[in-house]
Amino acid sequence: MTVQTQFFTSDEAEPVVVENPLAKGRVLLVCEHASHTLPARFGTLGLSEEVRKSHIAWDPGALAVTRLLSEALDATIIYQNYSRLIYDCNRPPESPSAMPVTSEIYDIPGNADLSEAERFARTSALYIPFHDRISELVAIRDDVVLVTMHSFTPVYYGKYRDVEIGLLHDTDARLVDAMLDDIAGTDFRVGRNEPYGPEDGVTHTLRLHALPNGLLNVMIEVRNDLIRNEEGQRAAADFLSGLLTKAIAAHSP
Ligand SMILES: [Zn+2]
């Protein structure tokens, strides 16, 4: 007899969520770090509730801004429903940060000494279906613009970050170049490949889906203290939807 351990209990939510699937806009919004939820089988991972709900577990405010962008741009959203502490869907399975043993200043006891079987189970349950679904959504039309949405902590390893919005790219900077052409006089401090960039391994989703398909793309990072409430979320979404609309138009025939 084999005993198969279920990854999710029968009443747990699906890991991959697609919203506004019939949207008519070109933009596909991806939010890998939308949720701090841990599947029940993982308990607390040995972390306090405060840490389990902190920026190491998810990108606070990112999904809220993504939903406002979806309305403004008539864009489909795909997001991951479980915490990046179990599997970080913006990292390939071989990356140490895919199932991190430490994150910033925190040890994650539940991720110490993972077996190959456990790593495979997490990859199969969370990473593969997420990226398979993105591949399907990208294949629906030939002019998809891939926009991944994130938030970052204002204080990292005790150091304050001045930048408010980061526009990140890998080897294809077309969309970011056009967005940065248009930011003079705006209210936000915007940086290219800040507060980190492709050298930190953060452009995995862009590398998987945008670069091989020649899609216009950007990874957007918003400092999370600016999007703690609806007013801030709306201000960020208004700014970004305007920026994206003009930059995409600049690249359209
Ligand atoms: Zn993120």
Side-chain angles (χ1 to χ4, degrees), residues 82-145:
Y82 291 97
S83 172
R84 66 168 153 216
L85 293 178
I86 304 301
Y87 192 106
D88 183 337
C89 281
N90 195 28
R91 295 291 188 283
E94 67 273 17
S95 165
S97 10
M99 295 163 254
V101 178
T102 59
S103 181
E104 200 197 353
I105 53 174
Y106 302 99
D107 288 328
I108 301 155
N111 284 354
D113 302 320
L114 295 181
S115 66
E116 278 306 305
E118 174 60 23
R119 299 182 75 86
F120 181 76
R122 293 185 187 198
T123 304
S124 303
L126 297 168
Y127 174 82
I128 300 290
F130 186 71
H131 285 288
D132 279 356
R133 195 77 178 89
I134 296 177
S135 296
E136 289 171 14
L137 292 168
V138 162
I140 285 173
R141 52 188 294 170
D142 58 11
D143 62 349
V144 168
V145 177

Side-chain angles (χ1 to χ4, degrees), residues 38-83:
L38 302 176
R41 71 183 279 242
F42 295 100
T44 65
L45 285 180
L47 301 170
S48 70
E49 184 178 2
E50 190 187 350
V51 173
R52 288 198 310 277
K53 293 185 176 171
S54 75
H55 70 89
I56 73 162
W58 68 315
D59 286 353
L63 181 59
V65 175
T66 303
R67 284 178 167 146
L68 293 169
L69 277 175
S70 166
E71 281 174 32
L73 302 169
D74 193 15
T76 299
I77 299 175
I78 176 167
Y79 70 89
Q80 170 56 253
N81 222 356
Y82 291 97
S83 172

Side-chain angles (χ1 to χ4, degrees), residues 2-252:
T2 54
V3 179
Q4 192 76 35
T5 309
Q6 292 289 317
F7 197 89
F8 297 111
T9 60
S10 56
D11 57 353
E12 281 185 300
E14 291 288 318
V16 182
V17 182
V18 175
E19 291 182 351
N20 203 7
L22 302 178
K24 295 191 177 58
R26 287 176 65 183
V27 171
L28 174 62
L29 295 162
V30 178
C31 197
E32 298 98 322
H33 307 144
S35 169
H36 58 67
T37 302
L38 302 176
R41 71 183 279 242
F42 295 100
T44 65
L45 285 180
L47 301 170
S48 70
E49 184 178 2
E50 190 187 350
V51 173
R52 288 198 310 277
K53 293 185 176 171
S54 75
H55 70 89
I56 73 162
W58 68 315
D59 286 353
L63 181 59
V65 175
T66 303
R67 284 178 167 146
L68 293 169
L69 277 175
S70 166
E71 281 174 32
L73 302 169
D74 193 15
T76 299
I77 299 175
I78 176 167
Y79 70 89
Q80 170 56 253
N81 222 356
Y82 291 97
S83 172
R84 66 168 153 216
L85 293 178
I86 304 301
Y87 192 106
D88 183 337
C89 281
N90 195 28
R91 295 291 188 283
E94 67 273 17
S95 165
S97 10
M99 295 163 254
V101 178
T102 59
S103 181
E104 200 197 353
I105 53 174
Y106 302 99
D107 288 328
I108 301 155
N111 284 354
D113 302 320
L114 295 181
S115 66
E116 278 306 305
E118 174 60 23
R119 299 182 75 86
F120 181 76
R122 293 185 187 198
T123 304
S124 303
L126 297 168
Y127 174 82
I128 300 290
F130 186 71
H131 285 288
D132 279 356
R133 195 77 178 89
I134 296 177
S135 296
E136 289 171 14
L137 292 168
V138 162
I140 285 173
R141 52 188 294 170
D142 58 11
D143 62 349
V144 168
V145 177
L146 192 74
V147 176
T148 71
M149 291 297 303
H150 297 262
S151 72
F152 63 95
T153 179
V155 179
Y156 193 62
Y157 285 106
K159 197 165 176 275
Y160 187 76
R161 288 159 152 175
D162 269 333
V163 66
E164 294 176 321
I165 292 181
L167 304 180
L168 285 68
H169 59 81
D170 202 280
T171 53
D172 178 358
R174 288 174 298 161
L175 190 60
V176 172
D177 287 347
M179 291 171 83
L180 288 171
D181 274 348
D182 200 37
I183 56 161
T186 54
D187 293 339
F188 290 97
R189 279 193 295 277
V190 182
R192 180 195 295 268
N193 284 333
E194 287 189 66
Y196 28 72
E199 68 280 7
D200 302 300
V202 300
T203 50
H204 178 61
T205 296
L206 303 184
R207 293 174 68 97
L208 264 189
H209 300 285
L211 301 188
N213 293 305
L215 306 179
L216 288 174
N217 68 89
V218 57
M219 172 177 177
I220 297 177
E221 287 272 7
V222 184
R223 209 176 64 201
N224 70 30
D225 58 319
L226 302 175
I227 50 173
R228 280 193 183 131
N229 58 35
E230 203 186 319
E231 190 187 351
Q233 291 158 4
R234 200 161 281 284
D238 286 350
F239 173 68
L240 290 168
S241 65
L243 212 55
L244 281 165
T245 301
K246 281 194 199 166
I248 293 166
H251 276 286
S252 298

